[in-house]
Amino acid sequence: MRSRFDEQLALLNENLTTMGAMCEEVIAQVGKALATNDKELAKHISELDSEIDQMERDIEALCLKLLLQQQPVARDLRQISAALKMITDMERIGDQAEDIAEIISYLDGRTIPAHTQIHEMAQATSKMVTDSVDAYVKKDLALAESVIVYDDVVDAGFHKVKSHLIDVISKNPMDGEYALDLLMIAKYFERIGDHATNIAEWVLFSISGHHIGRIPD
């Protein structure tokens, strides 16, 4: 019985890793679409989000199967309940990537240079998502804690973007709508960083039994 349970836990870890990789991919695709104003690529992001949504449903079903058909001990219960919380955050990451893709369609052909703070935020949030899921699979407290600390990098990036865009608007009011679109994009990346932080906090809970954070909007 326990060997079967362990096999299903291993499948849960595998599926979470896959879902995390999909979140990483959708963020990478959003960054590329931003740099190139590729509207077709932006449409593909919507398809990726749908796949992430399906993965959430699949993992949720597996977790419920583990809870109902097996007899998990306290440590296993923490791991499964943390997984259920984590997939909600990962699903929101997919949604917010799709929100960014939608904004791209409103940019009227304008692109964002590849080496800007917004793209750095995209890379930072991708790293956070990957590390948070890796921390869960490896039961790595130090890695989870590093994700939580790294969120400060994304927050600082958002404040830099906001300050820059305020300056852009003051110097050229005609660019106001474009600047607000970019600000919304940066805000979505900041939220993605918050969700990755939340995932890391659930990792800490799965290992220690204590949850210290907050759930972003």
Side-chain angles (χ1 to χ4, degrees):
M1 181 69 73
R2 181 68 204 189
S3 61
R4 174 61 178 161
F5 183 77
D6 288 339
E7 288 174 3
Q8 291 179 320
L9 276 181
L11 178 61
L12 173 60
N13 288 346
E14 181 181 335
N15 287 348
L16 277 169
T17 302
T18 299
M19 190 174 180
M22 292 167 70
C23 290
E24 184 181 2
E25 174 67 12
V26 80
I27 295 169
Q29 293 297 319
V30 161
K32 185 176 180 181
L34 278 171
T36 61
N37 195 42
D38 188 333
K39 293 183 180 180
E40 289 302 314
L41 182 57
K43 291 178 182 177
H44 179 59
I45 289 165
S46 179
E47 296 172 5
L48 283 173
D49 180 46
S50 295
E51 293 176 11
I52 291 170
D53 290 345
Q54 182 59 53
M55 183 63 74
E56 180 195 25
R57 290 189 288 270
D58 292 344
I59 294 175
E60 183 178 48
L62 176 57
C63 287
L64 293 177
K65 182 178 180 181
L66 284 165
L67 290 172
L68 295 173
Q69 296 183 2
Q70 306 292 343
Q71 295 179 331
V73 297
R75 181 188 60 197
D76 299 325
L77 282 171
R78 290 200 305 268
Q79 186 174 354
I80 296 166
S81 60
L84 284 167
K85 295 292 187 179
M86 288 166 61
I87 59 175
T88 300
D89 282 291
M90 285 193 275
E91 188 273 335
R92 290 296 296 136
I93 288 170
D95 287 347
Q96 285 159 356
E98 186 176 20
D99 289 336
I100 294 171
E102 184 177 354
I103 293 174
I104 292 171
S105 66
Y106 302 144
L107 293 182
D108 295 326
R110 299 184 69 169
T111 60
I112 303 174
H115 300 292
T116 64
Q117 194 66 48
I118 289 178
H119 290 290
E120 291 177 9
M121 289 180 70
Q123 293 168 0
T125 54
S126 179
K127 170 181 168 57
M128 289 177 69
V129 171
T130 301
D131 287 351
S132 62
V133 176
D134 283 349
Y136 173 85
V137 173
K138 298 174 182 176
K139 297 180 174 57
D140 189 332
L141 276 173
L143 185 57
E145 290 169 349
S146 73
V147 172
I148 295 168
V149 172
Y150 200 73
D151 188 46
D152 290 342
V153 174
V154 176
D155 290 344
F158 174 71
H159 290 300
K160 288 179 182 178
V161 170
K162 183 169 66 173
S163 296
H164 171 69
L165 292 176
I166 289 172
D167 186 55
V168 168
I169 294 171
S170 66
K171 291 180 179 177
N172 189 355
M174 294 297 292
D175 271 340
E177 185 174 352
Y178 174 67
L180 287 175
D181 284 339
L182 297 189
L183 182 62
M184 283 303 302
I185 289 171
K187 185 61 179 177
Y188 282 130
F189 278 126
E190 185 200 29
R191 288 182 179 176
I192 289 172
D194 287 342
H195 285 294
T197 299
N198 212 37
I199 292 169
E201 289 166 350
W202 284 115
V203 172
L204 295 180
F205 167 77
S206 72
I207 298 170
S208 68
H210 300 286
H211 185 263
I212 59 172
R214 79 278 183 214
I215 300 176
D217 295 331

